[in-house]
Amino acid sequence: MNYKIIEKESFKVVGVKREFSCVNGQNQVEIPKMWNDVHEDGTNDLLFQLNNGQIKGVLGVCVDKRDSQSQLMDYWIATDHTGNTPEGLLELEIPASKWGVFEVHGAMPDAMHHAWKQIFSEWFPSSHYEHSGTPDLEVYSNGNPSSPDYYSEIWIPLK
């Protein structure tokens, strides 16, 4: 598993969000449907055009809202953007963090699901890091996400 640790100041993302239940893996079923929607309605292309921040690509931003009362998360499809938030999109401030940036190679969504599982079952237990509790990022490059050579990343905030 290839990764690096970096420090990054806070930044703004703009995009669309939906709330999902994490009960019985419902989020893992519904999030790919959200991606299909943003590809079909042109939002994905718009986000690539708006991408003028340091992180290149379109982001899946995971905001965990789970607690003793709910099993919910917000999932954003967004991009690192400086400037005004375009009409019809929402904005989210991502706090300054130390990040574990993990390489993901392979077709979506299977490669991404496998990488998440490996990070939490293997990397975290063997590292001295803990999750900081702020949003996670999935970084998707411009390319064919169905390709076995597709490159993406997972960014996890660390403490």
Side-chain angles (χ1 to χ4, degrees):
M1 173 170 286
N2 293 329
Y3 72 93
K4 61 187 174 190
I5 306 295
I6 65 167
E7 302 261 351
K8 183 161 176 40
E9 293 300 315
S10 65
F11 60 99
K12 178 180 81 170
V13 300
V14 298
V16 295
K17 79 169 177 172
R18 292 185 190 165
E19 184 179 71
F20 295 105
S21 169
C22 297
V23 175
N24 297 325
Q26 184 178 350
N27 54 323
Q28 292 185 1
V29 172
E30 296 300 321
I31 289 171
K33 293 177 185 176
M34 182 181 178
W35 278 102
N36 287 340
D37 291 346
V38 301
H39 280 281
E40 288 175 8
D41 70 13
T43 301
N44 191 67
D45 294 335
L46 173 64
L47 293 173
F48 271 110
Q49 292 170 12
L50 293 171
N51 182 217
N52 63 3
Q54 291 181 347
I55 301 175
K56 299 304 175 203
V58 170
L59 310 175
V61 182
C62 306
V63 181
D64 191 344
K65 303 188 318 185
R66 290 178 287 189
D67 60 23
S68 61
Q69 305 299 316
S70 79
Q71 292 293 307
L72 298 174
M73 69 172 291
D74 284 340
Y75 188 84
W76 292 69
I77 298 177
T79 198
D80 187 351
H81 180 73
T82 57
N84 294 330
T85 300
E87 188 175 326
L89 297 179
L90 302 170
E91 70 178 62
L92 176 67
E93 188 75 18
I94 305 295
S97 293
K98 176 184 293 186
W99 296 91
V101 179
F102 298 85
E103 293 182 10
V104 181
H105 299 275
M108 295 297 117
D110 293 343
M112 188 62 68
H113 289 173
H114 176 74
W116 276 111
K117 190 177 292 185
Q118 192 174 17
I119 290 165
F120 279 92
S121 67
E122 297 173 22
W123 188 82
F124 268 116
S126 65
S127 81
H128 63 279
Y129 291 105
E130 295 177 37
H131 195 291
S132 73
T134 57
D136 297 310
L137 308 176
E138 300 166 341
V139 181
Y140 297 97
S141 61
N142 199 359
N144 178 0
S146 299
S147 168
D149 298 327
Y150 184 71
Y151 178 79
S152 54
E153 296 173 339
I154 295 175
W155 289 43
I156 298 180
L158 304 171
K159 60 180 179 178

